[in-house]
Amino acid sequence: MSGQLWYLKACHLFESCTTDQLRRLEANSRVKNISKGSPVYLPADDADSVLVLASGRIKICHLTSDGKQSILAFIEPGEIFGELAILNVGNRDEYAEAVEDSRVVAISGEALCQLMEEHQGLCLGITKIIGVRRQRIERRVKNLLYLSNRDRICHLLLELAEQYGRESARGLEITLRLSHQDLASLVGSTRETVTVVLGQLQNEGLIELGRRKVVLKAPDRLAHQVGVPTLQVNSTKPQNTQPNAYLRHSFSS
C-alpha cells in the first residue's frame, strides 16, 4: 500500500470510500513534508488543493492589518484543512504553519469535488466540517465583541478542554501545549493580559499551570462562572464533525 493511500484510509472522513475511490484520490495527490515553523501555504496562494494532515500539527492563522497573528484553529492528524478549495474561492486568505515537523497529503480540489458528486456521505461530512469551523470562528468574534478578557479566556479553556481534555489525578488536563502568546492569539488579547488572568484563575483554585500546560481543577465551576453547561470531554476522534454542547450553547444564547 502506498503512503498516500494509507494516509487517506486513516482519515475518518474517507472511511466509507471504496478502495477504487481512494485510489482515484491517490492518483491526484502528493505527500509533502513540512518542517516546524515552515508554511504549508500562504495568503494569496492558489486554493487548488485540500490537505490531509498525516502526522504532526498545523495551525491556521490570519494576519491582522497591524501585522499581529490571530490563530483560527489547530489541525490534528487525520483532519483535513484548506477545504475551501472545493468552493473555487481562487486564492487563500489565511495561512497554515507547521507547529511541529509534519507530513501532509495535498489532494486536488477538482478530484475531490468529482468524488463528492458521487458520494453523498463524503459531501455531507465536508459540509459539516466547514460549518463547525465557521461556528467556532463566529463564536470567537462574538466573544471578542461582547466579553471581557477573563471571560474570553475562560471560554477558550473550556473549548480546548472539550477538544483536547484528558482526565488525570489532578483534574482535566489540556493535552494541547500552548504558550501564553498562543492563547492570546486565540482570544484577541495580549500575552501580558493572558498571564495575569491565568494567574488569577490559578489563585482561585480553578486551574493549575505548568510549562505550556493547563489543568482545569474545577471545570464545572469554571463553566458556571461564564454561564455554559457542564463540560463534556470529547473522547471521539479530532475529526468529529458534530457540534458539541459548548458550541450549541454558545449559539443559542
Side-chain angles (χ1 to χ4, degrees):
M1 184 184 297
S2 68
Q4 289 102 311
L5 186 58
W6 189 90
Y7 294 135
L8 292 174
K9 281 181 173 290
C11 179
H12 178 64
L13 189 64
F14 300 121
E15 282 182 348
S16 61
C17 293
T18 66
T19 300
D20 178 65
Q21 290 172 331
L22 290 176
R23 290 195 182 280
R24 283 158 47 195
L25 285 183
E26 178 194 24
N28 291 279
S29 67
R30 64 188 187 280
V31 174
K32 300 193 295 184
N33 294 311
I34 313 295
S35 301
K36 177 181 178 180
S38 298
V40 182
Y41 57 76
L42 296 168
D45 281 357
D46 290 337
D48 57 2
S49 61
V50 177
L51 301 108
V52 176
L53 181 59
S55 62
R57 179 174 288 134
I58 301 294
K59 63 180 178 181
I60 309 299
C61 307
H62 176 74
L63 283 179
T64 63
S65 58
D66 56 358
K68 294 181 179 179
Q69 181 190 81
S70 174
I71 300 176
L72 304 178
F74 286 95
I75 307 298
E76 302 296 319
E79 291 190 84
I80 70 167
F81 60 105
E83 66 277 0
L84 294 184
I86 63 176
L87 302 180
N88 295 320
V89 294
N91 297 330
R92 303 193 190 274
D93 58 6
E94 80 285 350
Y95 73 93
E97 179 183 309
V99 178
E100 55 191 63
D101 291 346
S102 303
R103 177 170 294 174
V104 301
V105 180
I107 306 170
S108 162
E110 182 178 357
L112 186 57
C113 283
Q114 291 174 355
L115 181 56
M116 289 171 62
E117 290 177 358
E118 63 184 71
H119 195 306
Q120 183 178 6
L122 176 62
C123 184
L124 180 60
I126 292 178
T127 301
K128 286 182 177 179
I129 289 172
I130 294 173
V132 169
R133 288 179 179 169
R134 178 180 174 182
Q135 280 185 322
R136 286 175 180 163
I137 293 172
E138 286 182 346
R139 178 177 48 74
R140 286 182 187 163
V141 171
K142 176 183 174 182
N143 290 349
L144 183 63
L145 291 173
Y146 301 113
L147 298 183
S148 65
N149 280 305
R150 178 189 169 102
D151 283 357
R152 295 207 306 273
I153 292 168
C154 289
H155 274 271
L156 176 63
L157 293 177
L158 291 168
E159 176 187 331
L160 293 173
E162 194 154 27
Q163 290 181 265
Y164 302 102
R166 180 180 63 192
E167 296 285 358
S168 70
R170 295 181 301 167
L172 188 56
E173 180 180 343
I174 298 174
T175 58
L176 182 63
R177 299 293 186 252
L178 297 172
S179 67
H180 289 189
Q181 183 58 59
D182 291 331
L183 293 172
S185 297
L186 281 162
V187 297
S189 186
T190 65
R191 180 181 58 80
E192 293 78 10
T193 298
V194 167
T195 299
V196 169
V197 171
L198 291 179
Q200 292 172 346
L201 295 175
Q202 180 168 243
N203 291 337
E204 295 169 20
L206 296 172
I207 67 172
E208 178 182 313
L209 300 174
R211 181 172 175 79
R212 288 178 175 259
K213 181 186 298 185
V214 179
V215 178
L216 304 193
K217 304 289 290 182
D220 290 348
R221 282 174 52 203
L222 189 65
H224 178 73
Q225 284 196 7
V226 291
V228 301
T230 301
L231 192 67
Q232 297 179 357
V233 180
N234 178 14
S235 60
T236 61
K237 297 179 181 180
Q239 190 64 27
N240 178 30
T241 58
Q242 294 297 329
N244 54 39
Y246 180 80
L247 282 172
R248 288 195 298 271
H249 174 83
S250 296
F251 282 90
S252 63
S253 59

